[in-house]
């Protein structure tokens, strides 16, 4: 079914129950349902209808969720933008998607003002602060459509609702479309893995522009009628305060966040007694990190998936958190997992291959890219690019990625995208970008470059060229200058050999910059 009635259904049962605790304000389910109705009317008044795209750029907040559910009522598509990206990166995505409306929260209006971000035909709505010519302030926008009532058309569960851009191995971000049914399947998976009830109190600190932040706990909790504490962004002290103050029972934290929490002076003595589990994922989780959380008496459960799977495909439940520590669990109900070889033939338990997924949670395809869609969904299975195996009990163990994708602090980083920008420097002849294991971030971005004959390369100069072109988290932590890159007989860079080269060179031995 469509997710459009989720909030209304809970509001009918428990209208006064707090749905969201955000930015010091509390919003009941009845108030949230009313706000969604107003936003749906506003979107309808602005000409938004079935299949139209509405973009959002801003920190986590109740307004973002209201726009999501308003889109769901109209059959429109919600496009959350990663606020860590630059205006240059946003402009490319928006030019591809051509949203009818783009809502921009106050901290990001200035970057849009100077970045010429919106394509012609898209209308900008500023939620605060000054705004570019041709844009409209939210208050003026709301007044202009006051009194309108949104229609409530029948929505096909298989129609797209969410458009999330994810870095691709080609260097060009791809827009994965997720349907109403996919969000419903993720909610089912979340309820299963967490044993969620309406008595749970959920803390969300992951950004809602990621499917992990939006769909592992946030949207399932609202469907279930939980109370959610929503932070604009992650801050360790605010995390500890919220867990104690609000009696949090469930939360999601990627490994980089967990590392920060464990390194914090409050970790050892913080009151975490209300937490019945912490969910993690997005990248490899070190066994010492798992053990450290378990030492506080809190089960740490992993979830596995991708933007294209919404993301919940496999999950480790509480009862297996210690027995199967290190595994990402079994397929959640309604999802099938398989391990295949290079010819897409299934492999038996224990054998390494590519992890493929089939189920209602899987993407409808990539927006405007039928070729990439056909390749990723060939044979009716989503090909994840992750390598691993299933054990005899059906538990999935991820052993690495078949793609070159780097995951640093929970963010997907395309090496090809970074390489492309580095190669724009006239002094650079070749560039290869790889990930190096990092205890805090999971992986660190490392660039290996070759200078043009007779040219001198400066790591600082290369980093300056990245400013404004790539988000800060994509910038290399080290730039190594070498005489040549290892290549195959056909001239292809051997990335495995580049990784070995990086592992063999200490930062002190590197020519260039370490940041």
């Amino acid at each position: 079914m469509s997710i459009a009635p989720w909030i209304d259904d809970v509001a009918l049962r428990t209208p006064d129950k707090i749905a969201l605790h955000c930015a010091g304000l509390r919003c009941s389910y009845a108030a949230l349902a009313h706000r969604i109705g107003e936003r749906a009317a506003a979107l309808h008044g602005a000409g938004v209808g079935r299949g139209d795209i509405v973009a959002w750029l801003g920190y986590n907040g109740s307004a973002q969720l209201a726009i999501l559910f308003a889109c769901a009522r109209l059959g429109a598509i919600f496009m959350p933008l990663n606020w860590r990206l630059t205006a240059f990166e946003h402009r490319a995505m928006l030019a591809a998607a051509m949203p009818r409306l783009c809502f921009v929260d106050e901290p990001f209006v200035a970057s849009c003002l100077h970045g010429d971000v919106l394509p012609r035909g898209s209308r900008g709505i500023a939620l605060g602060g000054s705004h570019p010519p041709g844009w409209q302030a939210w208050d003026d926008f709301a007044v202009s459509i006051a009194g309108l009532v949104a229609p409530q058309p029948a929505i096909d569960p298989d129609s797209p609702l969410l458009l999330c851009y994810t870095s691709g191995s080609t260097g060009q971000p791809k827009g994965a479309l997720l349907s109403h049914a996919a969000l419903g399947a993720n909610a089912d998976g979340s309820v299963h893995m967490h044993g969620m009830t309406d008595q749970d109190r959920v803390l969300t600190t992951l950004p809602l522009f990621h499917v992990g932040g939006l769909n592992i706990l946030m949207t399932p909790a609202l469907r279930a009628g939980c109370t959610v504490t929503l932070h604009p962004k992650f801050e360790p002290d605010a995390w500890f305060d919220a867990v104690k103050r609000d009696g949090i029972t469930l939360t999601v934290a990627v490994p980089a966040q967990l590392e920060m929490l464990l390194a914090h002076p409050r970790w050892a003595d913080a009151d975490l007694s209300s937490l019945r589990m912490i969910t993690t994922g997005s990248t490899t989780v070190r066994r010492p990190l798992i053990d450290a959380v378990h030492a506080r008496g809190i089960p740490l459960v992993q979830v596995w998936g991708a933007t294209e799977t919404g993301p919940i495909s496999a999950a480790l439940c509480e009862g297996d958190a210690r027995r199967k520590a290190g595994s990402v669990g079994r397929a959640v109900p309604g999802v099938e997992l398989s391990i295949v070889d290079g010819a897409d033939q299934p492999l038996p338990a224990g054998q390494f291959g590519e992890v493929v997924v089939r189920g209602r949670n899987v993407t409808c395809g990539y927006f405007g890219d039928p070729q990439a869609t056909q390749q990723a969904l060939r044979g009716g299975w989503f090909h994840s690019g992750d390598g691993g195996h299933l054990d005899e009990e059906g538990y999935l163990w991820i052993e690495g990625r078949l793609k070159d994708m780097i995951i640093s602090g929970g963010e997907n980083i395309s090496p090809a995208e970074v390489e492309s920008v580095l190669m724009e420097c006239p002094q650079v002849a070749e560039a290869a970008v790889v990930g190096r294991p990092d205890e805090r971030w999971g992986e660190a971005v490392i660039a290996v470059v070759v200078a043009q004959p007779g040219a001198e390369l400066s790591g600082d100069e290369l980093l300056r060229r990245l400013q404004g072109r790539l988000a800060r988290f994509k910038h290399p932590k080290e730039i190594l200058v070498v005489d040549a890159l290892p290549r195959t007989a056909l001239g292809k860079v051997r990335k495995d050999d580049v990784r070995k080269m990086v592992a063999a060179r200490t930062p002190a031995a590197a020519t260039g910059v370490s940041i």
Side-chain angles (χ1 to χ4, degrees):
M1 62 178 289
S2 161
I3 79 162
W6 284 6
I7 306 302
D8 286 340
D9 289 348
V10 179
L12 286 173
R13 300 194 304 268
T14 54
D16 297 327
K17 184 173 182 179
I18 299 301
L20 293 171
H21 177 203
C22 181
L25 301 176
R26 295 179 181 271
C27 178
S28 69
Y29 272 94
L32 181 59
H34 179 72
R35 187 175 301 175
I36 291 168
E38 289 185 328
R39 300 301 184 264
L43 296 183
H44 172 64
V48 174
R50 194 186 303 270
D52 287 328
I53 295 173
V54 176
W56 171 274
L57 175 61
Y59 294 130
N60 293 348
S62 59
Q64 182 177 8
L65 291 165
I67 295 294
L68 164 66
F69 280 95
C71 287
R73 288 192 181 191
L74 299 173
I77 300 169
F78 182 66
M79 177 185 177
L81 292 168
N82 183 337
W83 49 259
R84 300 180 69 184
L85 300 180
T86 65
F88 178 86
E89 292 163 300
H90 287 148
R91 185 165 59 245
M93 294 175 184
L94 292 169
M98 292 296 295
R100 183 174 288 272
L101 295 177
C102 184
F103 292 89
V104 181
D105 209 353
E106 184 170 3
F108 306 99
V109 170
S111 64
C112 293
L113 179 63
H114 300 292
D116 190 24
V117 167
L118 289 191
R120 188 180 300 274
S122 294
R123 182 178 175 189
I125 309 296
L127 300 181
S130 60
H131 54 275
W135 285 41
Q136 195 170 20
W138 166 256
D139 289 343
D140 295 336
F141 176 72
V143 168
S144 70
I145 46 76
L148 294 177
V149 177
Q152 297 194 31
I155 305 299
D156 184 343
D158 292 324
S159 62
L161 169 62
L162 190 62
L163 173 59
C164 287
Y165 273 82
T166 179
S167 292
S169 58
T170 64
Q172 296 299 318
K174 300 193 293 290
L177 286 164
L178 294 170
S179 67
H180 289 253
L183 268 68
N186 268 268
D188 291 341
S190 180
V191 168
H192 167 75
M193 72 175 289
H194 295 109
M196 184 187 293
T197 74
D198 62 2
Q199 298 304 301
D200 277 307
R201 296 173 297 281
V202 171
L203 172 61
T204 295
T205 63
L206 289 179
L208 299 183
F209 58 70
H210 279 318
V211 292
L214 188 63
N215 292 335
I216 292 178
L217 276 177
M218 184 76 243
T219 51
L222 291 176
R223 188 187 75 169
C226 305
T227 293
V228 180
T229 297
L230 178 63
H231 287 181
K233 55 183 180 178
F234 174 71
E235 297 287 351
D237 277 311
W239 188 94
F240 286 112
D241 292 342
V243 169
K244 181 178 180 179
R245 181 192 65 235
D246 299 335
I248 298 300
T249 61
L250 298 171
T251 191
V252 181
V254 296
Q257 291 176 321
L258 290 173
E259 296 280 6
M260 294 182 207
L261 293 172
L262 266 64
H264 198 283
R266 296 177 64 177
W267 174 260
D269 300 318
D271 183 357
L272 306 178
S273 58
S274 62
L275 276 174
R276 58 185 188 83
M277 70 176 71
I278 296 176
T279 306
T280 192
S282 87
T283 187
T284 302
V285 185
R286 299 186 304 115
R287 183 56 188 265
L289 183 59
I290 298 172
D291 294 340
V293 176
H294 287 173
R296 283 299 320 262
I298 307 167
L300 183 66
V301 298
Q302 291 196 58
V303 61
W304 176 85
T307 299
E308 293 90 342
T309 66
I312 302 176
S313 295
L316 195 65
C317 294
E318 180 181 1
D320 294 319
R322 289 174 173 81
R323 185 176 74 91
K324 291 287 187 177
S327 168
V328 297
R330 291 190 287 193
V332 296
V335 174
E336 296 177 76
L337 296 176
S338 184
I339 306 296
V340 299
D341 61 17
D344 288 342
Q345 296 302 304
L347 295 169
Q351 288 199 22
F352 174 86
E354 183 177 13
V355 187
V356 294
V357 185
R358 183 164 63 184
R360 296 296 299 276
N361 63 317
V362 170
T363 180
C364 317
Y366 295 114
F367 182 81
D369 197 339
Q371 184 176 357
T373 299
Q374 183 178 14
Q375 177 65 15
L377 299 178
R378 60 187 185 274
W381 294 81
F382 170 67
H383 289 67
S384 71
D386 283 352
H389 72 274
L390 293 168
D391 66 20
E392 295 291 345
E393 298 179 80
Y395 287 79
L396 177 61
W397 300 79
I398 299 296
E399 301 172 48
R401 289 188 302 282
L402 303 180
K403 302 174 183 177
D404 288 331
M405 190 70 66
I406 299 167
I407 301 180
S408 181
E411 296 280 0
N412 286 353
I413 301 167
S414 165
E417 183 181 21
V418 183
E419 290 162 1
S420 176
V421 178
L422 288 171
M423 287 296 294
E424 293 177 8
C425 176
Q427 289 79 28
V428 174
E430 299 178 289
V433 173
V434 297
R436 185 178 66 191
D438 184 273
E439 286 193 359
R440 182 176 184 182
W441 300 109
E443 287 184 296
V445 179
I446 309 297
V448 182
V449 299
V450 177
Q452 292 283 4
E456 291 186 5
L457 275 180
S458 162
D460 290 335
E461 173 61 22
L462 288 176
L463 288 178
R464 279 195 293 271
R465 287 182 173 271
L466 300 181
Q467 297 294 335
R469 297 295 309 279
L470 294 174
R472 178 69 180 174
F473 66 84
K474 298 179 182 179
H475 290 197
K477 296 296 184 290
E478 290 178 21
I479 297 176
L480 310 180
V481 181
V482 298
D483 294 332
L485 295 178
R487 294 183 177 273
T488 67
L490 296 178
K492 184 177 180 180
V493 174
R494 297 195 301 266
K495 281 291 183 79
D496 283 345
D497 286 352
V498 175
R499 293 185 185 94
K500 292 174 184 176
M501 178 188 298
V502 167
R505 294 170 65 107
T506 64
T511 301
V513 63
S514 176
I515 57 175

